[in-house]
Amino acid sequence: YSRSSQGVVKEYILSRKHKAILEYCIQPRTLEEIAAHMHVSDKYYLKRKHIDSILGTDLLMTEPDTPTSPTQQYVTRMITEDR
């Protein structure tokens, strides 16, 4: 769910690709690893089209202070009851 500026709660639906990325990133993975797993040759397209849309809500960076780090990895956010 997401909350708009008007306070309306909207449910968002994850695509199959988003779900596949989240399942694969249970363990931290680099952008290169995710692209290879998803059979996508352009890792930057993958990031713009699929990763950026779930980043911060369902997917986290292992190095949030340096988002363009060559060692950056992505990991699925674990849902807890206090979220």
Side-chain angles (χ1 to χ4, degrees):
Y1 295 92
S2 66
R3 190 171 293 277
S4 72
S5 60
Q6 292 83 22
V8 177
V9 175
K10 297 179 183 177
E11 182 177 357
Y12 67 96
I13 299 170
L14 293 173
S15 72
R16 285 187 195 147
K17 285 197 182 216
H18 289 137
K19 288 178 184 178
I21 291 168
L22 293 173
E23 288 173 9
Y24 183 64
C25 290
I26 295 295
Q27 298 293 321
R29 308 286 184 172
T30 65
L31 187 56
E32 290 80 9
E33 289 173 321
I34 299 167
H37 178 75
M38 301 295 294
H39 305 287
V40 175
S41 60
D42 185 346
K43 65 183 179 183
Y44 300 109
Y45 170 81
L46 175 72
K47 184 174 183 314
R48 284 189 316 272
K49 181 76 174 170
H50 299 289
I51 291 177
D52 286 350
S53 63
I54 57 175
L55 196 56
T57 54
D58 298 308
L59 195 66
L60 303 174
M61 291 185 282
T62 58
E63 301 176 51
D65 295 333
T66 52
T68 59
S69 169
T71 60
Q72 183 66 258
Q73 294 184 322
Y74 301 90
V75 64
T76 301
R77 177 183 197 155
M78 295 296 146
I79 299 173
T80 61
E81 291 184 32
D82 60 347
R83 179 176 169 195

